[in-house]
Amino acid sequence: MTESKAVRFLSIGEAMLELSEQQAPLWAMNVAGDTLNTAWHLKRLAGEAAEVAYFTALGSDPFSARIEDFIADAGIDTRFIRHQASRGPGLYAISLRDGERSFTYWRDRSAAKLLADDGATLAAAFGWADMAYLSGITLAILAPEARERLLAALAVARDEGVTIAFDPNIRPRLWESAEIMRATLLRAAKVADIILPSFEDEAQHFGDASLEDCARRYDTDGSREVVVKNGGRDVAVAMGGRCSHHAMRPIEPVDTTGAGDAFNAGWLFGRISGNSPEKSLARAHALATHVISHKGALV
Ligand SMILES: Nc1ncnc2c1ncn2[C@@H]1O[C@H](COP(=O)(O)OP(=O)(O)OP(=O)(O)O)[C@@H](O)[C@H]1O
Ligand SMILES: O=C(O)C(=O)C[C@H](O)[C@H](O)CO
Protein backbone atom coordinates (compact mmCIF):
# COMPACT_ATOMS: atom_id res chain seq x y z
CA MET A 1 0.00 0.00 0.00
CA THR A 2 1.36 3.48 -0.83
CA GLU A 3 0.99 6.22 1.76
CA SER A 4 0.13 9.70 0.44
CA LYS A 5 2.62 12.39 1.40
CA ALA A 6 1.53 14.92 4.05
CA VAL A 7 0.79 18.36 2.61
CA ARG A 8 3.17 21.04 3.91
CA PHE A 9 1.18 24.12 4.95
CA LEU A 10 3.07 27.30 5.88
CA SER A 11 1.14 30.07 7.63
CA ILE A 12 2.74 33.51 7.88
CA GLY A 13 1.74 36.27 10.29
CA GLU A 14 1.56 37.51 13.87
CA ALA A 15 0.78 35.39 16.92
CA MET A 16 -0.38 37.55 19.83
CA LEU A 17 -1.57 37.39 23.39
CA GLU A 18 -5.37 37.66 23.44
CA LEU A 19 -7.42 39.06 26.35
CA SER A 20 -11.00 37.81 26.44
CA GLU A 21 -13.39 38.83 29.24
CA GLN A 22 -14.92 35.92 31.13
CA GLN A 23 -17.08 36.57 34.19
CA ALA A 24 -16.23 40.05 35.52
CA PRO A 25 -13.65 40.82 36.79
CA LEU A 26 -11.85 37.85 35.24
CA TRP A 27 -10.11 37.97 31.87
CA ALA A 28 -8.59 34.97 30.13
CA MET A 29 -5.23 35.39 28.42
CA ASN A 30 -4.82 33.12 25.43
CA VAL A 31 -2.72 32.98 22.28
CA ALA A 32 -4.27 33.91 18.90
CA GLY A 33 -3.78 35.84 15.68
CA ASP A 34 -5.62 35.41 12.39
CA THR A 35 -3.05 33.30 10.49
CA LEU A 36 -2.19 31.29 13.61
CA ASN A 37 -5.89 30.60 14.18
CA THR A 38 -6.17 29.11 10.69
CA ALA A 39 -2.98 27.06 11.12
CA TRP A 40 -4.19 25.78 14.51
CA HIS A 41 -7.58 24.66 13.19
CA LEU A 42 -6.04 23.17 10.06
CA LYS A 43 -3.63 21.06 12.11
CA ARG A 44 -6.48 19.79 14.29
CA LEU A 45 -8.52 18.88 11.22
CA ALA A 46 -5.69 17.33 9.23
CA GLY A 47 -3.67 15.50 11.89
CA GLU A 48 -0.90 13.52 10.19
CA ALA A 49 -2.27 14.40 6.74
CA ALA A 50 -0.63 17.86 6.95
CA GLU A 51 2.63 19.23 8.27
CA VAL A 52 1.80 22.73 9.46
CA ALA A 53 4.49 25.33 10.14
CA TYR A 54 4.09 28.87 11.47
CA PHE A 55 6.31 31.68 10.22
CA THR A 56 6.66 34.70 12.50
CA ALA A 57 9.04 36.61 14.75
CA LEU A 58 8.82 36.66 18.55
CA GLY A 59 10.90 38.16 21.33
CA SER A 60 13.12 36.33 23.81
CA ASP A 61 10.91 37.11 26.83
CA PRO A 62 8.77 34.69 28.89
CA PHE A 63 5.53 35.63 27.08
CA SER A 64 7.09 35.03 23.68
CA ALA A 65 8.20 31.64 25.03
CA ARG A 66 4.60 30.91 26.10
CA ILE A 67 3.38 31.72 22.59
CA GLU A 68 5.99 29.46 21.03
CA ASP A 69 5.14 26.64 23.46
CA PHE A 70 1.46 27.04 22.61
CA ILE A 71 2.23 26.73 18.90
CA ALA A 72 4.49 23.71 19.39
CA ASP A 73 1.96 22.02 21.72
CA ALA A 74 -0.60 22.27 18.91
CA GLY A 75 1.68 20.12 16.74
CA ILE A 76 2.71 23.11 14.62
CA ASP A 77 6.33 23.26 13.47
CA THR A 78 8.21 26.27 14.92
CA ARG A 79 11.40 25.96 12.85
CA PHE A 80 10.67 29.21 10.92
CA ILE A 81 10.10 31.37 14.02
CA ARG A 82 12.86 33.96 14.40
CA HIS A 83 13.66 35.82 17.63
CA GLN A 84 14.22 39.55 18.07
CA ALA A 85 15.60 40.04 21.57
CA SER A 86 14.83 43.78 21.60
CA ARG A 87 11.10 43.26 20.98
CA GLY A 88 8.18 41.36 22.52
CA PRO A 89 4.80 39.98 21.50
CA GLY A 90 1.76 42.04 20.51
CA LEU A 91 -1.41 42.03 22.62
CA TYR A 92 -5.09 42.54 21.80
CA ALA A 93 -8.28 42.66 23.84
CA ILE A 94 -11.75 41.72 22.63
CA SER A 95 -14.79 43.97 23.24
CA LEU A 96 -18.20 42.46 22.56
CA ARG A 97 -21.54 44.02 21.65
CA ASP A 98 -24.32 41.47 21.00
CA GLY A 99 -21.67 38.90 20.11
CA GLU A 100 -20.00 41.12 17.47
CA ARG A 101 -16.34 41.70 18.32
CA SER A 102 -14.04 44.69 18.08
CA PHE A 103 -10.37 44.77 19.04
CA THR A 104 -8.03 47.08 20.95
CA TYR A 105 -4.40 46.49 19.96
CA TRP A 106 -1.04 46.99 21.66
CA ARG A 107 1.27 45.83 18.88
CA ASP A 108 3.10 48.89 17.53
CA ARG A 109 6.53 47.51 18.43
CA SER A 110 5.87 43.80 18.31
CA ALA A 111 8.61 41.44 17.11
CA ALA A 112 6.30 40.17 14.35
CA LYS A 113 6.61 43.50 12.53
CA LEU A 114 10.12 42.28 11.63
CA LEU A 115 9.00 38.85 10.41
CA ALA A 116 9.95 39.48 6.76
CA ASP A 117 13.29 41.18 7.44
CA ASP A 118 15.36 38.16 6.51
CA GLY A 119 15.11 37.07 2.87
CA ALA A 120 17.03 33.83 3.47
CA THR A 121 14.53 32.58 6.08
CA LEU A 122 11.65 33.49 3.78
CA ALA A 123 13.22 31.57 0.90
CA ALA A 124 13.87 28.54 3.11
CA ALA A 125 10.27 28.53 4.35
CA PHE A 126 8.73 28.85 0.89
CA GLY A 127 11.14 26.16 -0.34
CA TRP A 128 9.69 23.82 2.32
CA ALA A 129 6.00 24.53 1.63
CA ASP A 130 3.38 23.06 -0.72
CA MET A 131 0.86 25.73 0.27
CA ALA A 132 1.54 29.13 1.87
CA TYR A 133 -1.13 31.19 3.62
CA LEU A 134 -1.09 34.84 4.67
CA SER A 135 -3.52 37.67 5.31
CA GLY A 136 -3.88 41.39 4.89
CA ILE A 137 -2.89 41.67 8.56
CA THR A 138 0.43 39.95 7.79
CA LEU A 139 1.14 42.65 5.19
CA ALA A 140 -0.32 45.56 7.19
CA ILE A 141 2.08 45.19 10.10
CA LEU A 142 5.24 45.29 7.93
CA ALA A 143 7.44 48.25 6.99
CA PRO A 144 7.26 49.09 3.25
CA GLU A 145 10.59 47.37 2.34
CA ALA A 146 9.63 44.22 4.24
CA ARG A 147 6.24 44.18 2.53
CA GLU A 148 7.98 44.33 -0.86
CA ARG A 149 10.33 41.53 0.19
CA LEU A 150 7.41 39.32 1.20
CA LEU A 151 5.41 40.07 -1.96
CA ALA A 152 8.45 39.29 -4.13
CA ALA A 153 9.08 36.04 -2.24
CA LEU A 154 5.43 35.05 -2.72
CA ALA A 155 5.67 35.61 -6.47
CA VAL A 156 8.82 33.48 -6.70
CA ALA A 157 7.24 30.74 -4.57
CA ARG A 158 4.15 30.68 -6.77
CA ASP A 159 6.30 30.39 -9.90
CA GLU A 160 8.02 27.46 -8.24
CA GLY A 161 4.71 25.66 -7.67
CA VAL A 162 3.69 26.69 -4.14
CA THR A 163 -0.09 27.27 -3.89
CA ILE A 164 -0.73 30.67 -2.32
CA ALA A 165 -3.83 31.26 -0.19
CA PHE A 166 -4.74 34.77 0.94
CA ASP A 167 -7.38 36.32 3.21
CA PRO A 168 -7.46 40.14 2.78
CA ASN A 169 -8.75 40.36 6.41
CA ILE A 170 -9.18 44.13 6.18
CA ARG A 171 -8.09 46.03 9.33
CA PRO A 172 -7.85 49.70 8.25
CA ARG A 173 -6.33 50.80 11.56
CA LEU A 174 -3.22 48.72 10.90
CA TRP A 175 -2.42 50.43 7.58
CA GLU A 176 -0.73 53.81 6.97
CA SER A 177 -3.47 54.87 4.51
CA ALA A 178 -6.59 53.49 2.81
CA GLU A 179 -4.94 53.86 -0.62
CA ILE A 180 -1.87 51.84 0.35
CA MET A 181 -4.11 49.24 1.99
CA ARG A 182 -6.27 48.74 -1.11
CA ALA A 183 -3.32 48.71 -3.52
CA THR A 184 -1.33 46.23 -1.42
CA LEU A 185 -4.28 43.87 -0.91
CA LEU A 186 -4.87 43.79 -4.68
CA ARG A 187 -1.19 43.09 -5.34
CA ALA A 188 -1.18 40.22 -2.87
CA ALA A 189 -4.37 38.79 -4.38
CA LYS A 190 -2.70 38.85 -7.81
CA VAL A 191 -0.05 36.39 -6.61
CA ALA A 192 -2.61 34.18 -4.85
CA ASP A 193 -4.41 31.07 -6.13
CA ILE A 194 -7.07 30.96 -3.40
CA ILE A 195 -8.62 34.16 -2.03
CA LEU A 196 -10.89 34.18 1.02
CA PRO A 197 -12.41 37.68 1.54
CA SER A 198 -15.27 38.72 3.87
CA PHE A 199 -18.04 40.54 2.04
CA GLU A 200 -18.90 43.17 4.64
CA ASP A 201 -15.31 44.47 4.76
CA GLU A 202 -14.83 44.28 0.99
CA ALA A 203 -18.10 46.15 0.29
CA GLN A 204 -17.08 48.89 2.71
CA HIS A 205 -13.54 49.38 1.41
CA PHE A 206 -13.80 48.42 -2.28
CA GLY A 207 -17.46 49.33 -2.92
CA ASP A 208 -18.54 45.86 -4.10
CA ALA A 209 -22.33 45.88 -4.57
CA SER A 210 -22.73 42.09 -4.50
CA LEU A 211 -20.91 38.87 -3.65
CA GLU A 212 -20.33 38.34 -7.39
CA ASP A 213 -18.76 41.81 -7.71
CA CYS A 214 -16.33 40.90 -4.98
CA ALA A 215 -15.51 37.47 -6.44
CA ARG A 216 -15.01 38.91 -9.96
CA ARG A 217 -12.78 41.74 -8.74
CA TYR A 218 -10.43 39.14 -7.27
CA ASP A 219 -10.80 36.62 -10.11
CA THR A 220 -10.57 38.82 -13.17
CA ASP A 221 -9.45 36.02 -15.52
CA GLY A 222 -11.27 33.00 -14.07
CA SER A 223 -8.03 31.35 -12.94
CA ARG A 224 -8.51 31.69 -9.19
CA GLU A 225 -10.62 30.14 -6.46
CA VAL A 226 -12.47 32.84 -4.48
CA VAL A 227 -14.77 32.16 -1.52
CA VAL A 228 -16.64 35.25 -0.33
CA LYS A 229 -17.57 34.80 3.35
CA ASN A 230 -20.58 36.65 4.58
CA GLY A 231 -21.35 36.41 8.32
CA GLY A 232 -24.33 34.09 8.70
CA ARG A 233 -25.60 34.80 5.17
CA ASP A 234 -25.09 33.23 1.70
CA VAL A 235 -21.49 32.53 0.67
CA ALA A 236 -20.29 32.86 -2.95
CA VAL A 237 -17.75 30.50 -4.51
CA ALA A 238 -15.98 31.45 -7.76
CA MET A 239 -14.12 28.62 -9.50
CA GLY A 240 -13.22 27.96 -13.09
CA GLY A 241 -14.75 31.32 -14.03
CA ARG A 242 -18.21 30.41 -12.61
CA CYS A 243 -19.75 31.85 -9.47
CA SER A 244 -22.27 29.98 -7.28
CA HIS A 245 -24.25 30.95 -4.18
CA HIS A 246 -24.61 28.74 -1.12
CA ALA A 247 -27.09 29.34 1.71
CA MET A 248 -25.64 29.19 5.23
CA ARG A 249 -27.50 28.62 8.48
CA PRO A 250 -27.17 31.70 10.76
CA ILE A 251 -26.84 31.44 14.56
CA GLU A 252 -26.75 33.96 17.44
CA PRO A 253 -23.01 34.37 18.10
CA VAL A 254 -21.39 34.55 21.56
CA ASP A 255 -18.20 36.09 20.13
CA THR A 256 -17.49 36.34 16.37
CA THR A 257 -13.69 36.57 16.89
CA GLY A 258 -11.91 34.19 14.52
CA ALA A 259 -15.00 33.14 12.51
CA GLY A 260 -13.31 33.85 9.19
CA ASP A 261 -10.05 32.18 10.23
CA ALA A 262 -11.82 28.97 11.24
CA PHE A 263 -13.87 29.06 8.05
CA ASN A 264 -10.64 29.38 6.02
CA ALA A 265 -9.14 26.33 7.77
CA GLY A 266 -12.23 24.26 7.02
CA TRP A 267 -12.24 25.32 3.38
CA LEU A 268 -8.50 24.82 2.83
CA PHE A 269 -8.55 21.43 4.55
CA GLY A 270 -11.44 20.36 2.34
CA ARG A 271 -9.63 21.42 -0.81
CA ILE A 272 -6.28 19.91 0.26
CA SER A 273 -8.15 16.65 0.88
CA GLY A 274 -9.72 16.75 -2.56
CA ASN A 275 -13.27 17.30 -1.24
CA SER A 276 -15.99 18.94 -3.30
CA PRO A 277 -16.70 22.67 -2.82
CA GLU A 278 -20.02 21.74 -1.15
CA LYS A 279 -18.38 19.43 1.38
CA SER A 280 -15.57 21.93 2.01
CA LEU A 281 -18.11 24.71 2.60
CA ALA A 282 -20.13 22.60 5.01
CA ARG A 283 -17.00 21.86 7.05
CA ALA A 284 -15.87 25.51 6.95
CA HIS A 285 -19.25 26.78 8.13
CA ALA A 286 -19.59 24.12 10.85
CA LEU A 287 -16.17 25.01 12.25
CA ALA A 288 -16.89 28.76 12.11
CA THR A 289 -20.24 28.37 13.92
CA HIS A 290 -18.52 26.27 16.59
CA VAL A 291 -15.91 29.00 17.12
CA ILE A 292 -18.46 31.83 17.40
CA SER A 293 -20.42 29.88 20.01
CA HIS A 294 -17.51 30.42 22.43
CA LYS A 295 -15.44 33.34 23.67
CA GLY A 296 -12.04 34.00 22.09
CA ALA A 297 -10.56 33.06 18.73
CA LEU A 298 -9.56 29.48 19.52
CA VAL A 299 -11.84 26.92 21.13
N1 LIG B 1 -23.94 34.82 12.83
C1 LIG B 1 -23.40 33.79 12.17
N2 LIG B 1 -24.10 32.65 12.01
C2 LIG B 1 -23.59 31.58 11.36
N3 LIG B 1 -22.35 31.59 10.81
C3 LIG B 1 -21.61 32.70 10.92
C4 LIG B 1 -22.08 33.86 11.60
N4 LIG B 1 -21.10 34.80 11.56
C5 LIG B 1 -20.08 34.23 10.89
N5 LIG B 1 -20.37 32.98 10.50
C6 LIG B 1 -19.53 32.02 9.76
O1 LIG B 1 -18.21 32.53 9.72
C7 LIG B 1 -17.83 32.85 8.37
C8 LIG B 1 -16.99 34.11 8.38
O2 LIG B 1 -17.80 35.20 8.78
P1 LIG B 1 -17.35 36.70 8.58
O3 LIG B 1 -17.19 36.99 7.16
O4 LIG B 1 -18.28 37.55 9.37
O5 LIG B 1 -15.94 36.60 9.32
P2 LIG B 1 -14.74 37.59 9.45
O6 LIG B 1 -15.22 38.99 9.59
O7 LIG B 1 -13.76 37.29 8.40
O8 LIG B 1 -14.17 37.05 10.86
P3 LIG B 1 -12.74 37.30 11.55
O9 LIG B 1 -12.01 38.31 10.75
O10 LIG B 1 -13.03 37.75 12.96
O11 LIG B 1 -12.06 35.96 11.55
C9 LIG B 1 -19.15 32.99 7.63
O12 LIG B 1 -19.03 32.78 6.23
C10 LIG B 1 -19.99 31.91 8.31
O13 LIG B 1 -19.65 30.64 7.83
O1 LIG C 1 -6.83 41.42 14.46
C1 LIG C 1 -5.80 40.73 14.49
O2 LIG C 1 -4.71 41.11 14.08
C2 LIG C 1 -5.87 39.37 15.02
O3 LIG C 1 -5.17 38.53 14.55
C3 LIG C 1 -6.83 39.09 16.14
C4 LIG C 1 -7.85 38.04 15.90
O4 LIG C 1 -7.40 36.77 16.35
C5 LIG C 1 -8.26 37.93 14.45
O5 LIG C 1 -8.44 39.21 13.91
C6 LIG C 1 -9.54 37.19 14.29
O6 LIG C 1 -9.78 37.08 12.89
Side-chain angles (χ1 to χ4, degrees), residues 15 28 34 59 69 90 107 114 160 164 183 192 205 209 212 267 290 296:
D34 66 340
D69 287 348
R107 65 195 307 182
L114 309 180
E160 289 175 353
I164 311 292
H205 297 285
E212 285 79 6
W267 175 265
H290 177 60

Side-chain angles (χ1 to χ4, degrees), residues 106 198 251:
W106 295 268
S198 284
I251 63 162

Side-chain angles (χ1 to χ4, degrees), residues 101 169 171 198 230-232 249-251 258-261 263 285 288 292:
R101 90 294 187 270
N169 224 354
R171 301 280 188 274
S198 284
N230 192 15
R249 191 176 51 83
I251 63 162
D261 311 329
F263 182 101
H285 184 65
I292 66 177

Side-chain angles (χ1 to χ4, degrees), residues 13-243:
E14 178 163 17
M16 285 180 285
L17 299 169
E18 174 195 80
L19 295 179
S20 162
E21 192 168 19
Q22 307 297 303
Q23 256 176 338
L26 294 179
W27 286 71
M29 190 185 73
N30 295 307
V31 175
D34 66 340
T35 49
L36 176 64
N37 304 340
T38 300
W40 188 88
H41 287 296
L42 189 84
K43 183 62 193 168
R44 281 174 74 110
L45 288 172
E48 299 300 311
E51 287 180 46
V52 177
Y54 197 61
F55 187 105
T56 193
L58 289 166
S60 303
D61 55 286
F63 287 95
S64 291
R66 280 187 191 219
I67 292 176
E68 194 160 338
D69 287 348
F70 175 87
I71 295 172
D73 288 349
I76 298 173
D77 193 326
T78 57
R79 78 178 77 178
F80 301 117
I81 297 181
R82 293 170 57 244
H83 297 92
Q84 299 285 346
S86 60
R87 298 210 174 191
L91 169 76
Y92 75 100
I94 301 172
S95 298
L96 292 174
R97 179 179 287 186
D98 297 330
E100 192 49 59
R101 90 294 187 270
S102 59
F103 303 129
T104 304
Y105 296 123
W106 295 268
R107 65 195 307 182
D108 291 351
R109 280 193 46 81
S110 66
K113 291 175 84 71
L114 309 180
L115 68 83
D117 281 12
D118 182 44
T121 317
L122 275 176
F126 283 123
W128 172 88
D130 298 312
M131 179 182 282
Y133 173 74
L134 78 163
S135 77
I137 296 177
T138 311
L139 292 162
I141 62 170
L142 303 180
E145 329 74 85
R147 224 176 252 161
E148 292 305 321
R149 189 176 300 114
L150 179 53
L151 286 169
L154 279 172
V156 170
R158 191 185 194 213
D159 283 348
E160 289 175 353
V162 180
T163 302
I164 311 292
F166 176 61
D167 181 344
N169 224 354
I170 299 181
R171 301 280 188 274
R173 262 180 305 152
L174 299 180
W175 291 88
E176 51 274 55
S177 77
E179 290 70 32
I180 292 175
M181 174 181 86
R182 283 192 291 266
T184 310
L185 295 177
L186 292 175
R187 284 179 63 200
K190 270 217 163 88
V191 291
D193 303 283
I194 304 174
I195 306 170
L196 301 159
S198 284
F199 182 64
E200 203 179 316
D201 295 341
E202 302 289 327
Q204 188 181 344
H205 297 285
F206 285 98
D208 300 328
S210 66
L211 299 172
E212 285 79 6
D213 277 1
C214 178
R216 281 207 199 90
R217 180 169 51 75
Y218 281 123
D219 183 35
T220 46
D221 61 0
S223 68
R224 292 180 173 75
E225 185 170 304
V226 185
V227 184
V228 187
K229 293 164 281 177
N230 192 15
R233 295 171 295 280
D234 280 19
V235 162
V237 178
M239 251 181 200
R242 295 189 54 231
C243 189

